[in-house]
Amino acid sequence: MLGAMQNWDLRVTHIIDHAAREHGTREILTHWADGSETVTTWAGIRDDALKMTQALRRLGVKPGERIATLAMNHSRHLVSWYGAVGVGGVLHTVNPRLFDDQLEYIANHAEDQVLLYDAAFQPLVDRMKPKWTTIKHYICYDNGEFEQWIGAEDGDTQWAQGDERDPCMLCYTSGTTGNPKGVLYEHRSTMLHAITSVQPPIFDLDARSVMLPVVPMFHAASWGLPWGGAAAGIKFVFSAVNDPVVLCELMNREKVTHSAGVPTVWLSMFQHMDAAGVTLPTLRQAIIGGSAAPRFMIERLMRAGVNVAHAWGMTETSPIGTTGAKCWNWDLLSFDEQVDVKMMQGRVPFGVELRCVDLDDPAKVLPRDGQTSGALQVRGPWVIKRYFKAEADATVEDQWFDTGDVAILHPDGTLQLTDRTKDVIKSGGEWISSVELENAAMSHPAVAEAAAIGIYHPRWDERPILVVVTKTGAEVSADEIKTHLAVSVAKWWLPDAVEFVAEIPHGGTGKVSKKDLREQFRDYKLAD
Ligand code: AMP
């Protein structure tokens, strides 16, 4: 027997219909790369998205096909999110900070049909065009091209209909070993995530909120804000440039109440604020995630009366995993104790389950005792089942996704990240593969063995260092190794330091023990 309620598929086009209907006049402001500004509304975003849906149909785009964007945060990018899903397509947000091999791989792997891009990325597009084999249509957001393209349509159309389990969005993550991997979100998972993201303790969003999201729309779906923000009817202030001078000016002029970014972003804002004597009096919610927020950052924001939502999540979790929702006894804690709580990664909303398992015996589930650390696993309706185009595999079907993070769970559910098992380094919110650095280093004739680890860096959170054992009798300098690496990896991947050692620690199976190596370099200090 079925229940007797109405059919209302959990498709994300309902979100923009709602925003236009209930919050139609709420503004979306964009500060463009050339310094100009434009203002539209949720109703305007929907009108343009409908036109884009028609324009995509005219290009022959079919439901399920991938429509890629290579763009910073702005209103045309937001239109494209809803326009792409409106045609039944899959929005693929490409991270322009990836380097050429990765960009080539992901666009071809995704089989992107259309690419919408910022003029700032024209050189990248020109360089990659011959290598991208599936993209048939290139549309630039600037120079009037996008407006002209959608302006040829009247917007008198319907969103594509379909199943709520249809895919709607694709994001690649390089936070794993090997090639970047695609995470294919579905309408249903995205809707459930959006509904959760507007629960008060999550991001504290409502129709009064003015949000400047610094987290890019190509990073884990800008933490779902383009969906959640529409559901709550917030005002967005977008900046297509990430200059702290511009960001602070916008925040004060537009009376921004909410912002979101990785710790590196907050740090560069603080530096500018100190140098220019600027404060952010209207800000009351700072969402920090992607890397651990340092104590001084949390303290500074809290002293300024800002609520810090220190969140943990992954591209694979849409990305909300935990947020800084307050614990029941929050008001009974001293300021220092409150900072202690915020230093941890917070607690799950309803819909996410966490557990830690023994690092050597994953069948053993560990107690939530606030002491025992283990491999963090997660499950829920907006958590990945398998990567895009990966074969169905019985072990993943049991639904606990292995995060590659090492954590302690406290009795009240608070998550505390302590380490990582995945062999990647996160610098300024972007991933660096240690394995690729090591392979590149070991192709040098003087190198016997090399291991890359992340070291705390005050600005970038982590920077790689390379630990090298040279071949007997061989001589090589740190600079020679860096020059050798520069041939195969991006400049921002190059290790900040190369350290020569007699031996690199190995575990029982003969593999390099990164845990021991990190321990060995625990007090290592990098130059700023
Ligand atoms: P991404 O998929 O690029 O968003 O990266 C997700 C990974 O970033 C997680 O698995 C963690 O390793 C790391 N991460 C995210 N949030 C935090 C946080 N608040 N503290 C420490 N690490 C974090």
Side-chain angles (χ1 to χ4, degrees):
M1 188 171 72
L2 289 176
M5 305 307 279
Q6 297 185 357
N7 291 329
W8 198 82
D9 287 337
L10 297 177
R11 286 184 66 95
V12 291
T13 40
H14 284 302
I15 305 181
I16 191 66
D17 288 344
H18 166 85
R21 192 172 53 236
E22 311 300 335
H23 308 279
T25 57
R26 199 70 172 124
E27 291 175 340
I28 318 289
L29 181 144
T30 301
H31 182 97
W32 297 94
D34 65 2
S36 64
E37 290 184 2
T38 55
V39 178
T40 178
T41 59
W42 282 114
I45 296 287
R46 181 176 181 273
D47 287 348
D48 285 351
L50 282 165
K51 290 180 185 168
M52 180 171 151
T53 291
Q54 288 172 305
L56 286 169
R57 282 198 190 113
R58 201 181 288 280
L59 293 181
V61 174
K62 306 267 177 325
E65 290 187 340
R66 269 73 72 196
I67 298 134
T69 61
L70 189 69
M72 303 302 284
N73 292 359
H74 52 69
S75 56
R76 292 176 200 137
H77 199 173
L78 186 64
V79 166
S80 310
W81 281 44
Y82 289 101
V85 298
V87 77
V90 177
L91 168 79
H92 173 202
T93 47
V94 180
N95 179 351
R97 294 182 191 142
L98 298 181
F99 50 95
D100 289 9
D101 286 353
Q102 295 171 314
L103 288 167
E104 177 181 349
Y105 174 83
I106 64 169
N108 291 340
H109 186 262
E111 298 170 63
D112 293 331
Q113 300 293 306
V114 180
L115 177 76
L116 294 121
Y117 64 96
D118 288 351
F121 301 124
Q122 189 69 54
L124 187 161
V125 170
D126 292 342
R127 193 169 71 237
M128 297 306 299
K129 240 181 196 176
K131 298 182 179 158
W132 283 332
T133 54
T134 60
I135 303 177
K136 297 191 199 94
H137 309 281
Y138 290 84
I139 296 144
C140 180
Y141 279 121
D142 301 289
N143 313 320
E145 201 177 319
F146 180 76
E147 260 80 16
Q148 209 182 343
W149 178 55
I150 62 167
E153 310 296 336
D154 61 8
D156 186 12
T157 187
Q158 303 290 320
W159 306 123
Q161 301 298 307
D163 195 282
E164 62 181 30
R165 302 299 298 248
D166 284 347
C168 66
M169 189 168 185
L170 178 64
C171 281
Y172 280 76
T173 172
S174 38
T176 59
T177 40
N179 277 324
K181 295 186 174 61
V183 182
L184 190 63
Y185 308 112
E186 56 194 27
H187 283 263
R188 176 178 178 272
S189 70
T190 306
M191 276 291 260
L192 293 172
H193 184 270
I195 293 168
T196 298
S197 74
V198 296
Q199 287 176 16
I202 307 306
F203 293 149
D204 181 39
L205 297 175
D206 64 38
R208 297 165 304 163
S209 312
V210 183
M211 157 72 80
L212 193 162
V214 187
V215 55
M217 288 163 85
F218 55 77
H219 256 183
S222 197
W223 301 346
L225 291 168
W227 310 117
I234 67 171
K235 169 171 170 170
F236 267 124
V237 175
F238 289 125
S239 178
V241 281
N242 276 340
D243 177 353
V245 179
V246 174
L247 297 179
C248 286
E249 195 275 323
L250 279 172
M251 283 195 183
N252 282 330
R253 174 164 38 99
E254 295 303 318
K255 299 192 170 39
V256 167
T257 53
H258 290 56
S259 191
V262 296
T264 304
V265 160
W266 291 100
L267 198 69
S268 66
M269 302 260 284
F270 289 172
Q271 279 168 352
H272 166 66
M273 287 162 69
D274 291 344
V278 178
T279 57
L280 300 173
T282 58
L283 188 70
R284 58 182 173 84
Q285 175 86 353
I287 308 164
I288 311 182
S291 292
R295 189 175 193 96
F296 78 90
M297 187 171 285
I298 295 173
E299 247 180 53
R300 175 171 177 161
L301 287 161
M302 281 175 61
R303 281 196 202 287
V306 178
N307 181 46
V308 176
H310 183 195
W312 166 86
M314 308 177 69
T315 307
E316 289 91 333
T317 64
S318 296
I320 294 176
T322 60
T323 62
K326 288 177 179 151
C327 42
W328 70 270
N329 57 345
W330 177 258
D331 295 319
L332 306 175
L333 301 178
S334 67
F335 181 83
D336 283 348
E337 287 168 335
Q338 290 182 341
V339 177
D340 288 343
V341 170
K342 291 285 181 182
M343 287 283 292
M344 295 186 277
Q345 278 75 8
R347 298 183 308 147
V348 294
F350 171 62
V352 178
E353 294 177 45
L354 296 179
R355 70 176 188 186
C356 286
V357 298
D358 192 280
L359 282 164
D360 299 317
D361 175 12
K364 191 172 156 207
V365 178
L366 300 174
R368 295 171 158 230
D369 58 5
Q371 291 168 20
T372 317
S373 72
L376 178 67
Q377 299 187 332
V378 57
R379 70 177 179 187
W382 56 85
V383 175
I384 189 169
K385 183 154 68 181
R386 72 180 84 90
Y387 289 105
F388 182 45
K389 292 187 178 173
E391 294 295 314
D393 142 358
T395 56
V396 185
E397 291 290 339
D398 90 342
Q399 299 247 319
W400 281 103
F401 174 73
D402 232 312
T403 64
D405 288 320
V406 179
I408 294 171
L409 282 169
H410 289 256
D412 71 351
T414 301
L415 170 72
Q416 182 182 1
L417 289 203
T418 55
D419 200 358
R420 220 183 261 150
T421 50
K422 47 194 172 192
D423 219 352
V424 279
I425 295 162
K426 204 169 205 190
S427 183
E430 300 282 354
W431 291 111
I432 295 174
S433 158
S434 352
V435 177
E436 279 194 45
L437 276 180
E438 289 156 7
N439 288 343
M442 284 196 274
S443 70
H444 190 286
V447 174
E449 191 169 26
I453 50 171
I455 295 283
Y456 173 73
H457 186 283
R459 171 145 187 231
W460 302 109
D461 189 47
E462 278 183 7
R463 286 297 303 155
I465 69 162
L466 190 73
V467 184
V468 171
V469 180
T470 49
K471 287 187 185 152
T472 320
E475 270 191 31
V476 62
S477 69
D479 280 346
E480 280 164 354
I481 291 195
K482 282 196 206 172
T483 312
H484 177 76
L485 293 176
V487 177
S488 35
V489 304
K491 194 157 170 266
W492 62 275
W493 276 38
L494 289 178
D496 278 27
V498 179
E499 290 295 328
F500 294 95
V501 294
E503 206 183 328
I504 287 176
H506 291 87
T509 56
K511 270 175 42 179
V512 170
S513 169
K514 290 285 173 83
K515 196 165 170 276
D516 291 335
L517 195 62
R518 280 200 292 266
E519 186 55 31
Q520 201 175 315
F521 283 84
R522 194 157 50 111
D523 299 322
Y524 190 86
K525 290 264 177 305
L526 285 172
D528 282 11

